Amino acid sequence: MCFFAANPFSPGARIIFRLQPRPAQEDDVALLKAIAARNEAALAQLYDRYRAILFGLLMRILNNREEAEDVLQEVFLQVWRKAADFDENRGRPFTWLVTLTRSRGIDRLRTLAARERVAETSAREVSEETSDAATDAFKSEQRGLVTKALSQLPDEQKRPLMLAYFDGLTQSEIAARLGAPLGTVKTRMRTGLISLRELLAGQGESFGF
Amino acid sequence: MVHEDYKEMIPARALSALDAAEERVLNEHLDNCSECRKELEEWQSTAAALAVVADPVEPSPEVRERILGEVRKDLSGSNVVPLRSTSRNVWSSFGSLGAIAAVVLFVALLVGLFVLWQQNRAYREELASKNDFIQLVNTPGARVSELKGIDLGAGATAKLAHDAAGHAILMASKLPKVPAGKAYQLWFIAPNKPPVPGKTFVPDSTGNAVLKDEMAGAALDAKVFAITVEPASGVSAPTGPIYLRSLEVN
């Protein structure tokens, strides 16, 4: 086939194309590869993209702005040093970042051994300083989907999940906190996470980071 | 404990909610079970979704500055410690057989180092190309077009970034091998004008290619980009079949 025989400007072939935002995940993979190659601008871009959501997560875990900012700094310096360890075949960049951030946050929480102490720090700090990013359509949509899925879980399944994820409690600690048998907590936690996965999967292509 | 018992523990592990003893036992199993490692990654993905439930909060601008300050320090500091040569006489330490074995090992080491050096160089070149691409994309006014394989090029994909000054970078993958004496050639196509030729290129053995090009004046108005197969020296007007093309950009 000759090039000119398939004239791209023939009326039938003309397709108006507007530059669409590239899928966030693909962009993130490219950024992590650039960071692995020691590209400072790529790290800045990744930070700007996820700072609000990751800092929000750390604030939820630590309830202390100074500690949360310190951990956020540690997280991104670890990203700088360890970006080459990210394997796109083993998971999404978002999962990698969140898992790293939460792990650091929970470690700090346990190190401080001050759950009660920092819990007194006003929860207003979180709600009053909500980022502009909260209005970002993409993040809002994802948040809405997860919140909706969680609302469909029975409270007895949801509470162990939230206590584990945001408070860093182990199953034994959760059992003690809720006054429930350990075996029951294990079952409810497992069932809750399975249900959450099924509910999110039910969102089809509209869900994904 | 059997495999299924470990699998039962994985969701709690994804939430870091196992007690220390259970986590230790499961971690030992994970070291030897790729199926469970894969399953843990899937559960971690589900658990990560919970992060978006937290209200997004802006950290103070100083955090960004602190992070980038540390990064700049890291980039500017070169802590390379020169290797110190040893004065030990190897030959006096070994018998003749030992010496031969040492020579064989040394040669094997050199070959291994050479292979690693080549792999490392290829890897660095690839990363450098991707860096250039990202930097170009971040230039004000830059555009990115996606090219898709058609007909003979079905399955191939490419992205072409260019800025207002005409600097262009093409990154292509899954390109079919070109016949001997032939090469791919990039074309810039503006409405109602003849295609402007770009450079020719040949993909590597995995079908990947990176091409840096400068768009001539007439190419700056291009709305469509295409790749054909042409004689290796390139042609001024396309003659071969089109393998990839973009849609029109407004």
Side-chain angles (χ1 to χ4, degrees):
Chain A
M1 181 181 72
C2 174
F3 182 80
F4 290 115
N7 179 2
F9 294 102
S10 66
R14 183 175 287 237
I15 303 170
I16 303 302
F17 176 76
R18 290 182 189 283
L19 192 63
Q20 297 292 322
R22 287 166 295 168
Q25 187 181 330
E26 194 178 325
D27 280 357
D28 291 345
V29 171
L31 283 177
L32 283 172
K33 286 181 177 172
I35 293 167
R38 303 176 71 71
N39 183 320
E40 177 192 337
L43 183 76
Q45 202 174 332
L46 192 76
Y47 177 83
D48 289 339
R49 185 172 292 173
Y50 288 113
R51 66 175 190 265
I53 200 162
L54 297 181
F55 188 61
L57 171 61
L58 289 169
M59 284 295 289
R60 177 81 178 249
I61 292 170
L62 293 163
N63 264 348
N64 180 300
R65 174 170 275 274
E66 192 180 340
E67 294 290 347
E69 287 189 343
D70 194 43
V71 175
L72 186 68
Q73 180 177 341
E74 281 181 12
V75 166
F76 275 90
L77 289 178
Q78 188 169 358
V79 169
W80 174 249
R81 289 191 295 266
K82 301 286 184 185
D85 292 349
F86 171 74
D87 180 353
E88 62 186 295
N89 298 314
R90 293 179 56 190
R92 302 171 178 134
F94 179 82
T95 300
W96 190 70
L97 278 174
V98 164
T99 304
L100 182 63
T101 303
R102 178 179 170 271
S103 172
R104 286 271 183 169
I106 297 294
D107 284 349
R108 177 64 63 96
L109 185 66
R110 288 173 178 167
T111 302
L112 288 171
R115 232 168 258 134
E116 291 77 13
R117 200 153 29 92
V118 293
E120 289 171 10
T121 309
S122 165
R124 284 190 310 253
E125 199 173 10
V126 175
S127 56
E128 285 175 0
E129 299 184 37
T130 297
S131 157
D132 289 344
T135 58
D136 180 281
F138 169 75
K139 287 170 188 157
S140 295
E141 185 192 349
Q142 304 304 317
R143 193 164 176 231
L145 292 172
V146 179
T147 305
K148 184 180 166 194
L150 278 173
S151 72
Q152 294 175 58
L153 293 183
D155 196 49
E156 63 185 28
Q157 291 176 12
K158 186 166 64 179
R159 284 200 73 192
L161 291 184
M162 304 302 268
L163 286 170
Y165 196 78
F166 291 111
D167 292 0
L169 298 185
T170 65
Q171 290 176 321
S172 298
E173 290 169 329
I174 293 169
R177 171 81 65 94
L178 299 179
L182 178 58
T184 304
V185 167
K186 286 183 176 180
T187 303
R188 287 175 181 171
M189 181 179 283
R190 180 176 162 75
T191 309
L193 202 59
I194 290 171
S195 301
L196 181 64
R197 179 162 76 172
E198 287 169 355
L199 287 165
L200 293 177
Q203 306 288 352
E205 291 185 353
S206 62
F207 184 84
F209 295 96
Chain B
M1 201 176 276
V2 296
H3 182 69
E4 288 306 312
D5 295 326
Y6 293 116
K7 286 186 77 168
E8 289 268 319
M9 297 161 71
I10 292 176
R13 170 70 171 74
L15 292 162
S16 319
L18 289 175
D19 292 316
E22 285 179 317
E23 184 164 322
R24 197 162 45 244
V25 169
L26 178 60
N27 285 347
E28 284 171 13
H29 174 70
L30 289 170
D31 285 342
N32 303 304
C33 180
S34 60
E35 182 189 333
C36 284
R37 281 200 302 274
K38 177 79 183 156
E39 189 161 331
L40 175 61
E41 284 156 13
E42 289 168 10
W43 283 116
Q44 282 175 330
S45 176
T46 302
L50 289 169
V52 300
V53 174
D55 287 331
V57 183
E58 279 292 340
S60 61
E62 289 77 23
V63 180
R64 189 181 197 275
E65 290 309 310
R66 286 205 300 264
I67 293 168
L68 295 180
E70 288 293 321
V71 164
R72 283 178 204 125
K73 263 194 261 177
D74 185 34
L75 285 172
S76 63
S78 174
N79 298 319
V80 179
V81 179
L83 286 174
R84 200 175 49 175
S85 61
T86 64
S87 58
R88 215 174 80 186
N89 186 339
V90 174
W91 299 106
S92 66
S93 307
F94 294 96
S96 57
L97 282 176
I100 291 168
V103 169
V104 170
L105 276 174
F106 183 67
V107 171
L109 183 65
L110 280 181
V111 171
L113 281 173
F114 179 72
V115 170
L116 279 176
W117 175 76
Q118 279 197 317
Q119 286 175 343
N120 189 38
R121 192 176 65 165
Y123 183 57
R124 281 179 181 279
E125 284 173 356
E126 185 188 343
L127 286 175
S129 300
K130 286 178 177 168
N131 263 345
D132 291 344
F133 189 86
I134 289 168
Q135 282 177 1
L136 183 58
V137 168
N138 286 326
T139 306
R143 288 184 158 183
V144 180
S145 295
E146 195 163 342
L147 287 77
K148 291 208 180 290
I150 56 174
D151 299 332
L152 293 169
T157 59
K159 285 185 176 170
L160 183 118
H162 69 93
D163 62 14
H167 304 299
I169 299 180
L170 175 84
M171 295 190 75
S173 58
K174 297 181 182 172
L175 289 167
K177 200 173 171 184
V178 285
K182 300 276 189 180
Y184 287 105
Q185 186 164 6
L186 177 64
W187 298 95
F188 307 100
I189 307 161
N192 306 315
K193 290 183 184 170
V196 177
K199 288 182 181 174
T200 59
F201 62 97
V202 176
D204 65 18
S205 58
T206 61
N208 294 330
V210 177
L211 177 71
K212 291 183 185 178
D213 209 342
E214 298 295 328
M215 297 162 70
L220 290 174
D221 297 329
K223 305 287 185 190
V224 172
F225 308 93
I227 295 171
T228 62
V229 168
E230 306 290 353
S233 57
V235 289
S236 57
T239 61
I242 182 168
Y243 275 61
L244 293 95
R245 59 156 290 175
S246 68
L247 298 180
E248 185 176 352
V249 181
N250 272 337

